[in-house]
């Protein structure tokens, strides 16, 4: 077998790896035989040189095999998993997991932590006092049997290679690579065992794929890998040109998810959640049309059944009863408002800058293993298209120190683009990729 140095050299020169080489690399990195500095160099080479489909598939399967592959076939309900490729104020998973479980599917989900300027479901859930997000195989299976809903991080027993690579990519600027994202997402999805997989591929400045072409290619790779492994997969392309919800930051997003589950909350976030959940019900065969699914889901939101499902799920993984007592969520020491410097229409809210500001406030990591301030982040007080007066609040910042607030404020000075005319609103759902290829929503 080639040395790690040779594999880095090969990739740096743009050569393709063999399946055996990728298997060796993943196995030895997982077992701590390859140090982080060599892995970082290899990841950066992949960012520059890419990987072809065969390499991406081989990397995915090697990462999947780095731990247990769950066999989930006796839960008596269709098994669904959903995954977002990452965005800003993208709280969809926290809504979808209990909403879909309330609708009768079994939700077996493996999530990640925050990555770069985007939030991660595991960090969000860990803001709930007591919540345990790292389940062992038997705990995960027991929760699925008992309540049809369980969510776990990558662990020593399930997809450990992704757990390690993900943490390293987060802090080495090696996230925005199509093959690395595809392998990271699909290794988790395949290892967690669900038969129906719904992917939410984010497109735009607040996502890792900045344009639709790249997002479609990423979706095609992931769908093909999933179908090749015998799973039922569909990818929905959704816009991340602007933040999806209003809250950015871990505990703040949990609170916003509860708003949506109470039948309230920001409209665009609610609509995208309903669309994704409808797609999942159709994928799992529980609804025949998106309209039929939508009606069923609205009833679950309005009746409080989805919220109760969320409450039971959080309790089952050790979390505090934040539905009954929302003040149990951590609160920031300092809160400060960002005011509009002039009157005008909010033409754009730059999702990327908003995400980076949330990291500066303490909601995301700058180095590996950094402890997060789970209360930190920001809440937008306006949406694209709104008219704001000079001095009106644009956002409220939450942090533990005045230094962090000052740093974020500086970054945010270019995040809100104001003008004399309202900008045209753009659609949130751009299209989808399934076994037949890409379909644009515009057609
Ligand atoms: N989500 C993941 O799980 N992995 C990535 O690499 C990006 C988004
Ligand atoms: Ca995410």
């Amino acid at each position: 077998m080639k040395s790690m140095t040779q594999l880095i050299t090969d990739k740096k020169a743009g050569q393709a790896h063999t399946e055996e080489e990728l298997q060796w690399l993943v196995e030895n990195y997982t077992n701590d035989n390859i140090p982080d500095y060599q892995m970082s160099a290899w990841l950066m080479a992949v960012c520059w040189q890419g990987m072809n489909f065969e390499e991406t598939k081989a990397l995915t399967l090697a990462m999947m095999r780095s731990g247990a592959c769950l066999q989930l076939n006796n839960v008596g309900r269709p098994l669904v998993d959903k995954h977002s490729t990452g965005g800003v104020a993208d709280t969809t998973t926290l809504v979808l997991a209990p909403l879909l479980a309330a609708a009768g599917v079994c939700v077996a989900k493996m999530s990640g932590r925050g990555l770069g300027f985007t939030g991660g479901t595991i960090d969000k859930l860990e803001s709930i006092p007591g919540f345990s997000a790292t389940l062992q195989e038997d705990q995960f299976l027991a929760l699925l049997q008992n309540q049809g809903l369980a969510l776990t991080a990558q662990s020593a027993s399930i997809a450990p290679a992704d757990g390690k690579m993900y943490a390293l990519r987060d802090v080495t600027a090696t996230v925005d690579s199509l093959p690395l994202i595809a392998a990271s997402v699909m290794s988790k999805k395949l290892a967690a065992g669900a038969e129906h997989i719904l992917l939410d591929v984010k497109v735009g400045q607040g996502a890792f794929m900045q344009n639709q072409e790249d997002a479609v290619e990423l979706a095609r790779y992931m769908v093909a890998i999933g179908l090749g492994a015998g799973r039922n997969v569909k990818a929905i392309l959704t816009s991340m040109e602007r933040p999806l919800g209003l809250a950015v930051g871990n505990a703040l997003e949990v609170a916003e998810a509860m708003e949506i589950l109470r039948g309230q909350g920001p409209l665009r976030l609610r609509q995208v959640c309903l669309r994704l959940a409808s797609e999942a019900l159709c994928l799992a065969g529980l609804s025949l049309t998106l309209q039929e699914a939508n009606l069923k889901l609205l009833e679950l939101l309005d009746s409080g059944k989805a919220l109760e499902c969320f409450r039971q799920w959080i309790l089952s993984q050790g979390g505090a009863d934040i539905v009954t007592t929302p003040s149990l969520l951590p609160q920031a020491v300092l809160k400060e408002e960002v005011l509009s410097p002039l009157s005008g229409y909010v033409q754009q809210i730059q999702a990327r800058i908003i995400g980076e500001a949330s990291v500066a406030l303490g909601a995301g990591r700058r180095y590996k293993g950094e402890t997060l301030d789970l209360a930190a982040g920001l809440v937008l007080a306006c949406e694209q298209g709104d008219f704001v007066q000079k001095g009106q609040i644009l956002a409220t910042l939450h942090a533990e120190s005045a230094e962090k607030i000052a740093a974020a404020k500086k970054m945010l000075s270019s995040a809100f683009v104001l003008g004399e005319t309202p900008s045209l609103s753009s659609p949130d759902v751009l299209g989808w990729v399934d076994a037949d290829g890409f379909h644009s929503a515009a057609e």
Side-chain angles (χ1 to χ4, degrees), residues 144-207:
L144 290 177
Q145 295 284 356
N146 295 341
Q147 63 182 18
L149 170 55
L151 189 146
T152 183
Q154 313 95 328
S155 67
S157 67
I158 317 170
D162 183 54
K164 282 191 77 178
M165 287 166 68
Y166 196 96
L168 192 60
R169 287 168 58 218
D170 181 29
V171 291
T172 53
T174 54
V175 175
D176 56 348
S177 151
L178 189 156
L180 295 180
I181 296 173
S184 165
V185 170
M186 293 312 292
S187 63
K188 285 195 282 289
K189 299 302 98 178
L190 297 181
E195 54 189 320
H196 309 285
I197 301 170
L198 183 73
L199 302 168
D200 176 10
V201 177
K202 301 288 184 192
V203 192
Q205 51 148 301

Side-chain angles (χ1 to χ4, degrees), residues 84 86 119-120:
S84 158

Side-chain angles (χ1 to χ4, degrees), residues 78-82 96-101 105-109 140 144 148-151:
L79 264 154
V80 176
D81 194 349
K82 102 32 104 164
L96 257 72
L99 181 56
L100 289 172
V105 299
C106 184
V107 181
K109 165 119 180 83
F140 189 71
L144 290 177
L149 170 55
L151 189 146

Side-chain angles (χ1 to χ4, degrees), residues 83-87 90 93 112-114 118-121 124 166:
H83 200 87
S84 158
T85 57
D90 173 23
T93 290
R113 295 186 181 278
T118 71
T121 300
K124 295 173 198 176
Y166 196 96

Side-chain angles (χ1 to χ4, degrees), residues 46-64:
V46 173
C47 282
W48 283 102
Q49 295 290 2
M51 292 208 286
N52 64 36
F53 179 74
E54 288 308 317
E55 288 177 284
T56 308
K57 185 173 148 194
L59 177 65
T60 307
L61 298 179
M63 288 168 67
M64 174 194 85

